[in-house]
């Protein structure tokens, strides 16, 4: 997910919190542009992205390949997409692996769009509106879990990570994407990112085998999406205009962050 405007409220843990209505507005504006402004720009930055993703997170083809390898999703397994947004990447991954999908997001608008999008895929997919810190899924009910740039929006990240652990079967895997600060506590960064340490979060939640990976190409794609958005003309009130506003706020400090993908196992 991209960062919504006006999300400057800090919770007691020092993170910025965001409510569902802000994402409802973002997803609503994306729907008006067909394939979505974000997805269109991401494909301008990386033409090698496969069709059908309908992105709303900072993915590039290299990162997508890494996620696919780390998930190691098999036919008839169940993938939980935590913070699924419009459903695009989760549906694409499940379709390619011939797996089933459960998508969870706190935005009713996103879930409505994901359900509509699912009709275009031969995937056994269900979607639900829920908080990532209180998942409406049974213990040990899914084989894999995915969270693309979403857990950062949960006020208590360890609780949300423990929920992901709870729903995974033994030896199940979680793959998440996010950012780490190059300098922990860097006050030039937004509150959400200053002290982020996903390795600590996942270990504290009870995961084992936690591995963190980064790559220059992932940082380049993240910054490239912002730069490309700023280079395009936009009309006020459109999804592109919203992304351009975000880019103006975030691009000056984007080099202070490292794009990461973290894999962890329920032992």
């Amino acid at each position: 997910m991209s960062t919504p405007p006006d999300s400057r409220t800090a919770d007691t843990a020092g993170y910025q919190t965001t409510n569902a209505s802000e994402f409802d507005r973002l997803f609503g504006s994306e729907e008006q542009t067909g394939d979505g402004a974000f997805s269109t720009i991401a494909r301008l930055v990386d033409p090698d992205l496969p069709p059908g993703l309908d992105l709303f997170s900072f993915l590039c083809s290299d990162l997508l390949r890494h996620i696919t390898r780390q998930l190691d999703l098999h036919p008839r397994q169940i993938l939980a997409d935590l913070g699924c947004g419009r459903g695009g990447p989760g549906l694409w991954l499940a379709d390619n692996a011939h797996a089933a999908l459960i998508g969870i997001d706190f935005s009713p608008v996103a879930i409505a769009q994901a359900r509509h999008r699912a009709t275009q895929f031969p995937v056994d997919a269900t979607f639900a509106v829920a908080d990532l810190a209180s998942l409406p899924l049974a213990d040990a009910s899914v084989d894999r879990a995915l969270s693309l740039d979403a857990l950062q929006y949960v006020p208590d990240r360890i609780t949300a990570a423990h929920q992901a652990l709870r729903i995974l079967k033994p030896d199940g895997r979680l793959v998440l994407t996010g950012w780490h600060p190059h300098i922990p506590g860097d006050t030039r960064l937004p509150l959400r990112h200053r002290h982020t340490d996903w390795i600590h979060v996942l270990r504290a939640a009870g995961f084992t085998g936690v591995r963190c990976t980064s790559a220059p190409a992932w940082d380049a794609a993240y910054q490239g999406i912002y730069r490309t958005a700023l280079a395009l003309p936009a009309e006020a009130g459109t999804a592109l205009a919203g992304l351009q506003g975000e880019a103006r706020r975030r691009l000056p400090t984007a080099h202070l962050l490292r794009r990461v993908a973290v894999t962890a196992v329920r032992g």
Side-chain angles (χ1 to χ4, degrees):
M1 297 180 179
S2 60
T3 307
D6 302 321
S7 56
R8 300 186 177 90
T9 305
D11 66 13
T12 56
Y15 302 124
Q16 292 164 298
T17 58
T18 305
N19 59 50
S21 63
E22 293 181 65
F23 275 105
D24 284 343
R25 289 193 294 273
L26 284 171
F27 288 123
S29 63
E30 279 287 297
E31 186 177 31
Q32 296 171 9
T33 63
D35 288 337
F38 196 102
S39 189
T40 299
I41 291 170
R43 200 169 302 284
L44 289 174
V45 173
D46 185 353
D48 290 333
L49 282 165
L53 278 177
D54 188 28
L55 291 181
F56 204 66
S57 51
F58 291 91
L59 286 182
C60 61
S61 54
D62 186 74
L63 178 52
L64 181 63
R65 286 191 294 269
H66 176 82
I67 291 167
T68 302
R69 290 193 302 267
Q70 292 300 305
L71 276 177
D72 191 28
L73 187 61
H74 294 280
R76 294 181 295 280
Q77 287 187 329
I78 300 173
L79 170 66
D81 187 355
L82 308 179
C84 65
R86 292 155 57 96
L91 285 164
W92 186 87
L93 288 162
D95 184 29
N96 277 268
H98 305 289
L101 177 69
I102 301 173
I104 305 290
D105 202 283
F106 70 170
S107 165
V109 172
I111 291 299
Q113 292 175 8
R115 287 171 176 157
H116 175 73
R117 186 162 187 79
T119 62
Q120 304 170 36
F121 287 82
V123 173
D124 179 7
T126 59
F127 296 92
V129 178
D131 194 306
L132 299 188
S134 182
L135 296 174
L137 301 175
D139 294 356
S141 58
V142 305
D143 300 281
R144 301 286 188 267
L146 171 72
S147 190
L148 301 178
D149 305 344
L151 285 187
Q152 63 181 339
Y153 295 109
V154 182
D156 189 336
R157 297 174 179 182
I158 293 176
T159 294
H162 187 267
Q163 281 289 295
L165 179 80
R166 178 185 64 79
I167 66 171
L168 280 168
K169 297 175 183 178
D171 296 321
R173 294 184 183 184
L174 166 69
V175 179
L176 69 80
T177 62
W179 290 266
H180 279 167
H182 284 296
I183 303 172
D186 194 335
T187 57
R188 294 171 293 178
L189 288 169
L191 287 173
R192 178 174 292 115
H193 296 304
R194 287 180 191 175
H195 300 281
T196 298
D197 183 344
W198 291 115
I199 297 173
H200 167 75
V201 168
L202 296 180
R203 286 176 176 167
F207 279 97
T208 61
V210 181
R211 295 172 297 177
C212 181
T213 305
S214 59
W218 306 352
D219 292 323
Y222 166 50
Q223 296 177 36
I225 287 171
Y226 280 155
R227 291 193 177 97
T228 301
L230 289 173
L232 296 174
E235 298 179 3
T238 65
L240 176 56
L243 181 58
Q244 289 174 326
E246 177 185 328
R248 293 186 188 99
R249 293 192 303 274
R250 301 300 184 219
L251 191 55
T253 58
H255 67 287
L256 304 175
L257 293 169
R258 177 167 56 100
R259 189 85 168 107
V260 298
V262 189
T263 304
V265 178
R266 175 178 178 174

